[in-house]
């Protein structure tokens, strides 16, 4: 699996995807700096496999992070620095967001 960071991550069997879809508010308000920090911090977490995402000109975006277990996802959600970013997101950066956690059973590409 290849993330936006260009790193290639092997998939040995199933793994999990956290799909974060959101609508941004106007202006940066420190968002891009925090997003970079969160991506670097996530990459240091046990069980992190990769990340990819897109955002359009209207501010609608989808970020998908990949994890080896539900426990790894839970630990990331509870990370104290990630919690700060989550609160700032609710207060400043997002009009709305939705999170879906899915088990990936199979992966293939062309």
């Amino acid at each position: 699996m290849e993330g936006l960071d260009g790193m290639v991550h092997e998939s040995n069997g199933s793994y999990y995807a956290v799909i974060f879809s959101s609508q941004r508010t106007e202006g940066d308000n420190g968002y891009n700096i925090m997003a970079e920090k969160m991506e670097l911090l996530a990459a240091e977490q046990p069980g992190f496999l990769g990340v990819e995402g897109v955002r359009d000109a209207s501010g609608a975006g989808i970020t998908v992070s990949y994890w080896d277990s539900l426990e790894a996802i839970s630990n990331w959600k509870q990370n104290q620095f990630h919690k700060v970013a989550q609160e700032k997101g609710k207060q400043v950066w997002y009009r709305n967001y939705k999170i879906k956690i899915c088990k990936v059973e199979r992966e293939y590409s062309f």
Side-chain angles (χ1 to χ4, degrees), residues 1-10 49-52 66 107:
M1 170 183 343
E2 184 175 326
L4 289 181
D5 58 5
M7 297 179 355
V8 175
H9 308 280
E10 288 189 30
L49 301 174
V51 65
E52 53 194 354
Y66 301 99
E107 173 186 337

Side-chain angles (χ1 to χ4, degrees), residues 34-47:
M34 183 64 84
E36 288 177 22
K37 287 180 182 180
M38 288 300 103
E39 188 170 331
L40 291 172
L41 182 61
E44 296 174 355
Q45 304 310 301

Side-chain angles (χ1 to χ4, degrees), residues 2-5 20 39 50-56 60-66:
E2 184 175 326
L4 289 181
D5 58 5
F20 180 82
E39 188 170 331
V51 65
E52 53 194 354
V54 295
R55 186 163 306 278
D56 70 13
I62 298 174
T63 301
V64 183
S65 59
Y66 301 99

Side-chain angles (χ1 to χ4, degrees), residues 6 8 30 39 50 57 60-61 64-65 69 79-80 84 90 93 99 103:
V8 175
E39 188 170 331
V64 183
S65 59
S69 68
N79 178 284
Q80 68 181 24
V84 169
K90 290 176 185 175
W93 295 320
I99 297 172
K103 186 174 185 179

Side-chain angles (χ1 to χ4, degrees), residues 18-82:
V18 177
I19 304 167
F20 180 82
S21 55
S22 63
Q23 180 64 49
R24 285 284 322 278
T25 56
E26 296 296 318
D28 181 78
N29 301 310
Y31 175 83
N32 286 323
I33 291 171
M34 183 64 84
E36 288 177 22
K37 287 180 182 180
M38 288 300 103
E39 188 170 331
L40 291 172
L41 182 61
E44 296 174 355
Q45 304 310 301
F48 177 82
L49 301 174
V51 65
E52 53 194 354
V54 295
R55 186 163 306 278
D56 70 13
S58 77
I62 298 174
T63 301
V64 183
S65 59
Y66 301 99
W67 303 85
D68 69 3
S69 68
L70 291 173
E71 180 182 15
I73 294 167
S74 180
N75 289 340
W76 172 238
K77 181 175 172 53
Q78 298 305 317
N79 178 284
Q80 68 181 24
F81 299 111
H82 186 214

